[in-house]
Amino acid sequence: MPTFTFDQQQDDVCDATRAMISIQPGARVAGAMLLLLPLLGLVSALMLHWKAGAAVRTLLPVAVGAWGMLFVGRPLSCWWMARSAQRAAEAAGPRRTVIVDDAGVELQTPGGSGRLRWNEVARVDETRRLFLFHVSPGRAVMLPKRVMSETEAEGIRGIVRQRTSG
């Protein structure tokens, strides 16, 4: 029964938040739409004005706005959500213990503890830096890989495959 005790860090929360944002339904579609918006602006400007100068004047604010939302708005949103989650976690205390076993996933904090049986885990995602055991959209128990060896990570992968496959 792998047991991992660690101090939660803001980087852990930001990584988890970033992972949960990127896997939300529609996030990739929204990102693609933001990239297509300047192209749509150019096409509409050309159709309306037929002059290159007017098209550029019309396209520039659209392009700056769309790319600004993509490259500034999304990271800022991620940072804000991670900061809010980190503050909530600090209120409960930074020390976490996560136990992954055949029964499920248990999270222990100074403020209390809770156990998720495997049938309550909606899905498990693995990123480069953590495992996320999803309870519902936007809620997950995170387990940073920095607190485990590769052998322990492989053991968790085996438990997850065994318990979540079909």
Side-chain angles (χ1 to χ4, degrees):
M1 145 170 84
T3 301
F4 305 96
T5 300
F6 57 95
D7 287 328
Q8 182 169 293
Q9 299 174 352
Q10 180 136 3
D11 287 347
D12 298 333
V13 177
C14 193
D15 288 342
T17 304
R18 191 175 300 120
M20 286 192 280
I21 288 172
S22 67
I23 57 178
Q24 290 294 329
R28 289 192 176 101
V29 172
M33 294 296 283
L34 284 175
L35 290 174
L36 290 175
L37 198 56
L39 181 61
L40 294 174
L42 177 63
V43 170
S44 66
L46 289 173
M47 288 174 63
L48 291 174
H49 298 289
W50 294 102
K51 292 183 182 177
V56 170
R57 283 193 302 272
T58 304
L59 173 64
L60 192 59
V62 172
V64 169
W67 286 331
M69 286 172 56
L70 182 67
F71 294 110
V72 176
R74 189 165 185 260
L76 189 60
S77 169
C78 177
W79 172 82
W80 184 261
M81 289 172 59
R83 182 177 170 189
S84 300
Q86 180 66 19
R87 285 186 176 165
E90 286 171 355
R95 178 64 82 187
R96 303 275 185 262
T97 299
V98 175
I99 302 168
V100 181
D101 57 23
D102 289 334
V105 180
E106 184 175 346
L107 173 64
Q108 299 172 353
T109 68
S113 66
R115 175 170 275 285
L116 290 171
R117 293 184 307 271
W118 283 113
N119 63 348
E120 298 172 315
V121 175
R123 112 178 151 258
V124 180
D125 289 322
E126 180 181 357
T127 70
R128 195 167 41 105
R129 295 183 180 162
L130 24 98
F131 288 97
L132 290 167
F133 301 91
H134 293 270
V135 181
S136 63
R139 292 187 57 218
V141 173
M142 68 175 174
L143 177 57
K145 289 183 180 178
R146 64 180 167 78
V147 301
M148 65 184 73
S149 68
E150 183 55 38
T151 305
E152 291 170 319
E154 194 55 46
I156 290 175
R157 288 183 198 107
I159 292 171
V160 167
R161 273 192 302 271
Q162 179 184 14
R163 294 296 173 183
T164 59
S165 62

